Amino acid sequence: MLQLTEVTKSYGDRRALDEVSFAVADGRLTGFVGGNGAGKTTTMRIVLGVLAKDSGSVTLHGAPVAAADRRRFGYMPEERGLYPKMKVREHIVYLAKLHGFSHTDATRRATALLERLGLGERMNDMVEALSLGNQQRAQIAAALVHEPEVLILDEPFSGLDPLAVDVVAGVLHERAAAGAAVLFSSHQLDVVERLCDDLVIIAGGTIRASGSRDALRAEHASHRYELSTATATEWIGSLPGITVATGATDGVSFDAETPDAAQAVLREALARGPVSRFTRVQPTLADIFREVIR
């Protein structure tokens, strides 16, 4: 497990990170979200040792992260960092060899990974000849070719079409299933919501929420419910503690002041006829994000 504890970083009088603490668990995908300038990239660079923190600690399996540990990290920066005049596979092979793999093993790994990422037909092209989306896939291959123990990706889905997002997501899930701790940032909240096991929300250099996706949804669950029934529902608004809302995809949507008030709606609906659906509305990641950064 990668653990950050009370990490602080200032640039002059501006505090970029203020006692940032969260964990990235082995075998799980952790989404790291926040607006521009929230502190995501600064946090990642401190984990990687590119920036020095002012205080706090970064540990891996309980011990301070050292240079030797970082050789087992994989990193994809938001800015593209591949050599444009190199061929794609040649470039990935070169990076694998820097991590100590033989030429044969590096070539095997690079070939398999590029094919998995949908670049099998482009691996002998120059990097600069690739589209921006394909350059993004190649950059992900560069971060993954040495099978890192910790994987840190800054906006890995930027510029990818929906099919490419699915391919990359599948590769990241495979890496997590192999035991890696995966931290990725993204402005695409729908993608983060679909992929992440855990979530960290940062704003103004402070952590506003963190935990498993399901736990955060439960914590920030609204008091809104949706009901679908075969009978009329005009009576719902007359019950105490109930306000009829709009926006239900099927049936009627209402806000309940207490869980007991919601259950009273269900009991009355069942007394009047069949109920096909009764559910509490779960907040989206966008809903949670808006709530915690206010």
Side-chain angles (χ1 to χ4, degrees), residues 88-141:
V88 177
R89 178 166 57 184
E90 177 185 355
H91 199 320
I92 306 305
V93 168
Y94 168 73
L95 293 174
K97 290 169 71 175
L98 288 179
H99 282 278
F101 294 103
S102 68
H103 180 78
T104 299
D105 199 15
T107 301
R108 177 185 60 79
R109 289 172 176 267
T111 300
L113 186 53
L114 290 170
E115 289 177 346
R116 177 70 179 86
L117 286 164
L119 291 176
E121 296 182 356
R122 306 301 303 273
M123 64 177 65
N124 291 316
D125 293 350
M126 295 290 187
V127 169
E128 65 183 359
L130 300 180
S131 67
L132 292 179
N134 281 338
Q135 286 186 31
Q136 189 82 336
R137 297 193 208 200
Q139 191 124 322
I140 291 168

Side-chain angles (χ1 to χ4, degrees), residues 2-250:
L2 179 70
Q3 177 76 50
L4 288 80
T5 304
E6 297 183 352
V7 172
T8 297
K9 175 68 178 178
S10 296
Y11 297 100
D13 294 333
R14 184 177 72 85
R15 179 158 289 192
L17 300 179
D18 189 3
E19 297 188 348
V20 164
S21 299
F22 65 89
V24 185
D26 297 345
R28 294 175 70 84
L29 294 172
T30 299
F32 192 28
V33 300
N36 292 328
K40 301 186 301 297
T41 298
T42 297
T43 301
M44 291 178 170
R45 289 176 175 171
I46 286 174
V47 171
L48 293 160
V50 177
L51 286 177
K53 62 189 182 305
D54 296 337
S55 61
S57 64
V58 181
T59 60
L60 182 65
H61 307 314
V65 174
D69 297 317
R70 292 189 174 102
R71 288 185 60 82
R72 305 196 303 275
F73 286 16
Y75 175 52
M76 196 207 83
E78 184 176 8
E79 308 84 6
R80 289 176 173 81
L82 303 179
Y83 299 119
K85 301 295 183 182
M86 289 186 74
K87 293 181 179 179
V88 177
R89 178 166 57 184
E90 177 185 355
H91 199 320
I92 306 305
V93 168
Y94 168 73
L95 293 174
K97 290 169 71 175
L98 288 179
H99 282 278
F101 294 103
S102 68
H103 180 78
T104 299
D105 199 15
T107 301
R108 177 185 60 79
R109 289 172 176 267
T111 300
L113 186 53
L114 290 170
E115 289 177 346
R116 177 70 179 86
L117 286 164
L119 291 176
E121 296 182 356
R122 306 301 303 273
M123 64 177 65
N124 291 316
D125 293 350
M126 295 290 187
V127 169
E128 65 183 359
L130 300 180
S131 67
L132 292 179
N134 281 338
Q135 286 186 31
Q136 189 82 336
R137 297 193 208 200
Q139 191 124 322
I140 291 168
L144 282 166
V145 69
H146 59 294
E147 297 184 356
E149 179 180 339
V150 176
L151 184 59
I152 299 174
L153 306 166
D154 200 349
E155 295 290 340
F157 304 104
S158 176
L160 299 182
D161 62 44
L163 292 178
V165 168
D166 289 342
V167 170
V168 171
V171 171
L172 297 186
H173 275 298
E174 290 167 7
R175 192 73 215 118
V182 181
L183 177 69
F184 70 97
S185 72
S186 179
H187 285 98
Q188 297 165 261
L189 297 184
D190 58 329
V191 175
V192 177
E193 184 165 28
R194 177 161 56 93
L195 297 183
C196 73
D197 301 302
D198 302 310
L199 180 66
V200 178
I201 300 176
I202 187 171
T206 63
I207 301 301
R208 302 299 180 88
S210 65
S212 75
R213 178 184 56 188
D214 293 342
L216 287 174
R217 278 177 171 166
E219 179 183 346
H220 295 274
S222 69
H223 301 293
R224 181 156 295 181
Y225 296 78
E226 290 185 357
L227 172 73
S228 297
T229 178
T231 58
T233 56
E234 293 84 356
W235 52 269
I236 291 177
S238 65
L239 294 181
I242 298 298
T243 303
V244 176
T246 58
T249 55
D250 177 31

